[in-house]
Amino acid sequence: VKDLRVRWALEEAGFPYEATLIDAQDQLSDSYRRWQPFGQVPAYRDDEVEMFESGAIILYLATKSEALAPKDAAGRARVSTWVMAALNSIEPHAQNLIRFDDAHLDSSWATERRTQLATKLANRLAALSDWLGDGDFLEERFTAGDLIMTTVLRELVDCGALAQFAKLDEYRRRCEARPAFHRALEAQMEAFRETA
Ligand SMILES: N[C@@H](CCC(=O)N[C@@H](CS)C(=O)NCC(=O)O)C(=O)O
């Protein structure tokens, strides 16, 4: 669930936060729809802003903390670029393949279509891997761009799409090894355990 992105960014920044879980009824309520028009999570608010869309929330938090983005305009522009690249250029292809696999279609047409989707995704992942090269992060240091990219790559672990991209998988693991990620994941899992 994409609240992990927001929790992780808040942990990297060292900003304390409170999470409120919503249920199916809240999701449909007028008051929640005024906050998140599609009834989805995450949504975020603080003393200054009320927001939805995980990418927008992360970009907002990045303006508040150098842990997420450099202060200079050029460095910030690179962070926005990578956040949008993760969400617009990689995630749609990842989701196409994941949704297709979820449908468990069993026909020769399905096999052909899966190959097409997997190839499109692999082309994007190959380009990303080329960019990364032997670097640790997408730019010189960890930023919100790596944070979002890692959450997108995580979606691909189960379908095996990362198997042929060892550097990307190492990159994902490197980012997930950050203490802030562990705290965020633990907090998310704790919320699930409490409401299970
Ligand atoms: N583009 C949105 C997508 C949010 C999203 O997909 N949320 C999922 C959980 S990860 C959700 O609320 N699903 C329930 C629904 O769509 O009704 C974002 O990044 O915040």
Side-chain angles (χ1 to χ4, degrees):
V1 180
K2 295 185 172 75
D3 64 304
L4 182 65
R5 295 171 173 176
V6 181
R7 290 178 187 272
W8 187 4
L10 289 163
E11 291 286 354
E12 291 284 353
F15 297 157
Y17 68 93
E18 263 174 49
T20 307
L21 302 192
I22 60 161
D23 60 23
Q25 217 176 340
D26 299 328
Q27 218 187 335
L28 296 172
S29 72
D30 286 348
S31 64
Y32 190 65
R33 294 275 167 152
R34 274 196 298 275
W35 185 3
Q36 214 296 2
F38 312 111
Q40 295 184 305
V41 294
Y44 170 89
R45 65 176 152 222
D46 61 24
D47 293 343
E48 286 177 279
V49 300
E50 189 166 284
M51 305 182 68
F52 58 97
E53 285 297 333
S54 58
I57 298 166
I58 269 54
L59 285 173
Y60 166 73
L61 293 173
T63 66
K64 302 270 170 199
S65 169
E66 274 192 74
L68 294 168
K71 256 199 161 130
D72 62 291
R76 281 221 185 134
R78 297 298 299 169
V79 173
S80 305
T81 298
W82 280 116
V83 168
M84 299 307 287
L87 298 178
N88 284 344
S89 299
I90 307 281
E91 191 168 44
H93 294 287
Q95 285 296 323
N96 282 348
L97 187 63
I98 292 163
R99 297 243 160 86
F100 192 85
D101 282 353
D102 281 351
H104 298 292
L105 299 173
D106 187 18
S107 68
S108 60
W109 170 86
T111 309
E112 228 174 90
R113 182 67 183 141
R114 191 187 190 281
T115 304
Q116 287 169 352
L117 295 176
T119 303
K120 280 189 180 181
L121 174 62
N123 288 342
R124 290 295 160 98
L125 294 177
L128 184 65
S129 183
D130 286 349
W131 172 270
L132 188 65
D134 292 321
D136 283 347
F137 303 113
L138 295 169
E139 298 288 321
E140 295 84 48
R141 48 156 285 200
F142 176 85
T143 72
D146 298 296
L147 185 155
I148 292 285
M149 191 64 83
T150 300
T151 62
V152 170
L153 295 179
R154 271 171 70 74
E155 296 168 9
L156 293 170
V157 171
D158 288 345
C159 75
L162 283 185
Q164 53 177 310
F165 297 101
K167 280 187 183 164
L168 286 185
D169 206 34
E170 278 165 28
Y171 161 72
R172 173 187 70 80
R173 288 172 196 271
R174 182 177 311 117
C175 293
E176 288 182 6
R178 296 174 70 81
F181 176 82
H182 282 280
R183 290 195 296 275
L185 186 60
E186 181 46 36
Q188 187 193 51
M189 296 314 290
E190 184 59 30
F192 281 130
R193 281 193 289 269
E194 278 170 11
T195 56

